[in-house]
Each structure stands twice: as C-alpha cells, then as structure tokens.
Amino acid sequence: MTEGSSEPEVSDSLRTFGAMLQALREHAGLSREEFGRQIQYSKHTVESVELGRRMPDARYVERSEPVLGNTGAVRRGAEHLERRPGLAAWFRQWALKEKTAITLYTYECRLIPGLLQTEAYARTLFTGQLPPLNDSQIEVQWVEREKRQRLLWDRPNTAFSFILEEGLFLRRTGGVEVTRGLIDHVLAIAALRNVEVQIMPQVRQSHAGLDGPMQLLEEPNNRWYAYCEGQESGLLVADRKVVSMLQMRYARMRSQALTIQDSLSLLQRMRGDL
C-alpha cells in the first residue's frame, strides 16, 4: 500500500533549468521582482520557474535571454525542458500498473472516470479545482489525461469494465452541451470490443458500492491490485484479502447495475432528453 501528496512532481530538467536561471539572475545582481519587471512577468511567476514548478513559455525564454547576458544559455537550456507527467504522486504507481494490466475495473460515483472524459468535461473539472490552477497547469493536466486515455485503444486485449452512477450524467457538469458531448463520447467508447459500460440506476434499494469509488486491475501474472481515492489522497492496495473483498463488491455491483444493453439505451434516452 502507498499513500502520498497530491501535488504533481516537477521534472529534473525543470529544476535544473530553474536553478540555472536563478544563478544567472543573481549574477546579474537582480532580485526576482526586478527581473520580473524587466521581462514583464510577475515575481510569483519568476519564483515558480526558478523552483521548477512552472514550465516557462517561449516569451519568458526570449525576454530572459538579453537580460541574463545574451549568451544563448537560456535558449539552449529551454530546448531540453520536459514536463513530468501531471499525475499526483499517489496515483502515479497505479497509472504505471494500468499500462500493463490485462483487466481493469472502475466504479465511480463522484465524477466520470478520467479514461472516459472528454476534453470539455475534463477542462471543466480542472477550471473548478481548488486551489485554482493556472492555464499552463490545466494544459499539463489535460495532455497527460488524454495520453492516458490511449490505453483504451492501444491495449485491445485488456478488458475494461466501468460501472457509472446515473447521477453523474444527470448532474450536467459543464452544462448541457458538455453533457451531450460526454454521453456521445461514452457511447462511442462503449462500442469498443474490449470495453463494457454499465449504469447504476439512481433508484436502487441495494447497492454494494456505498463505501465509495474503487478500481481493480489484474497484471499479466494474474496478480490483482486495487486503488481507492478520496479527498487529496489515494491508496494502492496490495493486500490479497482486501483486494478479494473489493472484487466481491464489484461483482455484486455488476449484477445490481443495468445490463450493458439497458445501460446504453438509458444513455441514448438521456442524450435525447437534453
């Protein structure tokens, strides 16, 4: 089991580049505020770049070069910058296992799972996040989410199962147009041979998933793991007894949810009602 911070980790290249900029700025005898004023960026942005927390854009690099000696070092250093995937540290280990999984089950009651999100839906979530994200952070988050979604097509022999609460679509996160696009997208993914989507109806007398969302995966060696996520935390579960218990709950939910065909029919009706 593993837990950790929800903060995305920065890359070594960002840290190194930021340290170089800081050294050049200090050699030029400039404070962060003075340097920021000369390149028309805030002191906060300068600090974020120097600490490796933020990827500098092209304008930042071009404006920094002449202020820091015009040696070409800033431009050359920027060519080697790489973003560390915008995944929370506690989720990264699970994401690595996803890449080789032969079975992946997901139950969600809070929001549409990342593997099924549209760009518009995902950006709605990122924009509403607290503390707020800036534009570059939102872009990093979406790029990494889109890259992760390729699993559905790149691993045609992996069996994907999703159980989604009906209320996730009724909430209309992002508005009517975003929800229309989301339902169309989920229906298209559900047409893939290796993907099953089931809807848990809003009215249900018995529900095995009341303890919250869960994910289960099977590795090529047939070892199973689980992942449970909460507020600013995540838990990768390797204990066989706990994983077995979660498997039983997921199996019960598959029987409690609508059948695959009835689930798709419900989504189509919901789409028509928008």
Side-chain angles (χ1 to χ4, degrees):
M1 297 184 288
T2 182
E3 293 181 86
S5 166
S6 64
E7 288 297 316
E9 295 180 9
V10 297
S11 69
D12 290 338
S13 64
L14 280 175
R15 287 196 188 94
T16 302
F17 182 77
M20 179 192 72
L21 286 181
Q22 181 174 349
L24 291 174
R25 173 183 59 75
E26 292 174 348
H27 181 73
L30 298 171
S31 68
R32 283 173 174 163
E33 187 174 2
E34 291 168 336
F35 177 65
R37 192 159 47 241
Q38 291 196 38
I39 66 172
Q40 300 175 39
Y41 281 84
S42 69
K43 175 186 175 182
H44 174 73
T45 299
V46 172
E47 180 182 21
S48 293
V49 171
E50 290 185 351
L51 294 178
R53 295 196 302 246
R54 179 169 180 168
M55 173 77 77
D57 57 26
R59 286 186 302 170
Y60 191 103
V61 172
E62 289 304 314
R63 291 175 183 176
S64 297
E65 185 65 62
V67 178
L68 298 178
N70 216 20
T71 63
V74 179
R75 291 193 187 96
R76 288 197 296 272
E79 292 175 357
H80 301 285
L81 287 177
E82 294 180 352
R83 288 186 176 97
R84 187 84 170 258
L87 300 174
W90 38 261
F91 183 75
R92 192 169 293 119
Q93 190 174 358
W94 176 262
L96 289 173
K97 290 185 178 298
E98 277 187 335
K99 293 181 179 180
T100 59
I102 60 174
T103 306
L104 184 63
Y105 295 160
T106 301
Y107 163 65
E108 256 298 352
C109 56
R110 308 161 307 165
L111 73 169
I112 300 298
L115 289 176
L116 300 180
Q117 292 174 9
T118 61
E119 181 174 356
Y121 182 91
R123 287 185 182 275
T124 297
L125 299 180
F126 299 149
T127 302
Q129 188 167 319
L130 294 173
L133 301 177
N134 60 39
D135 290 345
S136 62
Q137 290 172 319
I138 290 175
E139 193 62 31
V140 170
Q141 293 283 342
W142 167 245
V143 167
E144 292 305 322
R145 183 150 302 178
E146 183 181 38
K147 187 186 303 181
R148 180 170 160 249
Q149 290 177 349
R150 293 304 311 170
L151 285 173
L152 297 167
W153 290 271
D154 292 345
R155 297 193 60 79
N157 299 121
T158 296
F160 294 89
S161 168
F162 297 92
I163 300 176
L164 311 175
E165 291 289 337
E166 181 182 356
L168 298 180
F169 300 94
L170 296 175
R171 185 175 296 136
R172 299 185 182 181
T173 299
V176 172
E177 289 303 319
V178 171
T179 303
R180 283 197 188 105
L182 178 66
I183 293 177
D184 288 342
H185 183 65
V186 172
L187 286 170
I189 292 176
L192 297 174
R193 191 175 302 156
N194 60 326
V195 178
E196 294 181 351
V197 175
Q198 290 180 262
I199 303 298
M200 183 68 76
Q202 189 82 338
V203 179
R204 190 73 180 78
Q205 290 186 357
S206 178
H207 193 323
L210 295 181
D211 283 343
M214 72 171 80
Q215 295 186 69
L216 296 158
L217 67 73
E218 181 186 12
E219 292 188 321
N221 62 3
N222 302 121
R223 177 75 187 274
W224 284 82
Y225 292 87
Y227 177 75
C228 301
E229 190 172 277
Q231 293 273 350
E232 297 302 308
S233 64
L235 185 67
L236 177 65
V237 182
D239 187 296
R240 294 177 188 270
K241 290 183 178 179
V242 177
V243 172
S244 177
M245 175 193 68
L246 294 175
Q247 285 176 308
M248 286 190 288
R249 291 181 183 178
Y250 195 88
R252 178 64 60 84
M253 280 192 288
R254 293 182 88 167
S255 68
Q256 293 171 334
L258 298 177
T259 66
I260 294 173
Q261 189 56 53
D262 288 346
S263 296
L264 301 183
S265 296
L266 175 60
L267 286 175
Q268 290 164 349
R269 291 197 302 274
M270 295 172 70
R271 173 65 171 81
D273 291 339
L274 292 174

